[in-house]
Amino acid sequence: MFYTLVKIIHLLCACVVIGYLIYDVFIFSHFKKNRSEVEFIKLKRELLKPSALILGLAFLLLLCSGAYLASFYLGGELGWLESSFQQILVLKISVVGLLFVFTPISFFYILVLKKSDPMRKFYHHLALLICLIALIFAKLMFLF
């Protein structure tokens, strides 16, 4: 029963995270075309301020529930790359791990180089792409 609940939480959190990224990448691009940079940033902060807590919590729950669910399929007597399911799952986890490459790069630019990060405006585009690839792998896992 608990496993099923965690699976549902995982799916709902994935919907929230991907939905947020789609909104940020596609919907806000429309607002950006019709406003100055200063107006756009102010509008975006105002609209997204309440969603930051929800997104952060959903992302954290997505990672935690994913780790819990993966523990049922990897390691121990099951091995790591014994089946197609496991191979795709490890590939999915590796792809999701790419999300954590952006933060150190950003900190390097800001803290070490004392410059703004030139890739910052593309992070949500890349995160959306990574999430969609992970979603495709999630569906492929259950085909094998």
Side-chain angles (χ1 to χ4, degrees):
M1 178 69 172
F2 186 70
Y3 173 83
T4 304
L5 179 64
V6 172
K7 210 171 182 180
I8 291 168
I9 289 170
H10 189 71
L11 289 171
L12 290 174
C13 289
C15 290
V16 169
V17 170
I18 291 174
Y20 172 87
L21 291 171
I22 287 173
Y23 191 85
D24 189 50
V25 170
F26 294 110
I27 305 300
F28 275 125
S29 64
H30 170 74
F31 291 130
K32 190 173 188 173
K33 292 176 187 174
N34 302 328
R35 290 169 177 71
S36 70
E37 186 71 25
V38 174
E39 284 179 318
F40 173 70
I41 290 171
K42 184 179 175 185
L43 174 67
K44 189 172 180 179
R45 283 187 183 150
E46 188 175 327
L47 290 174
L48 294 182
K49 190 175 185 179
S51 67
L53 178 63
I54 294 168
L55 177 68
L57 183 61
F59 186 69
L60 181 62
L61 282 172
L62 183 64
L63 293 177
C64 292
S65 62
Y68 177 77
L69 293 170
S71 72
F72 284 89
Y73 301 105
L74 294 171
E77 294 176 9
L78 298 172
W80 288 91
L81 299 170
E82 304 298 320
S83 67
S84 298
F85 182 93
Q86 288 178 324
Q87 293 167 357
I88 296 171
L89 178 57
V90 169
L91 192 57
K92 176 187 171 193
I93 292 168
S94 300
V95 167
V96 169
L98 292 174
L99 290 171
F100 298 98
V101 171
F102 305 142
T103 304
I105 292 170
S106 188
F107 282 147
F108 177 75
Y109 271 97
I110 294 168
L111 299 175
V112 176
L113 299 179
K114 308 287 187 206
K115 297 184 194 177
S116 67
D117 184 357
M119 290 288 293
R120 185 174 183 176
K121 58 185 158 192
F122 301 110
Y123 284 151
H124 280 178
H125 294 78
L126 293 171
L128 178 59
L129 179 64
I130 287 168
C131 287
L132 292 175
I133 291 170
L135 181 68
I136 291 167
F137 284 146
K139 295 310 287 180
L140 287 175
M141 287 183 335
F142 291 99
L143 291 178
F144 297 100

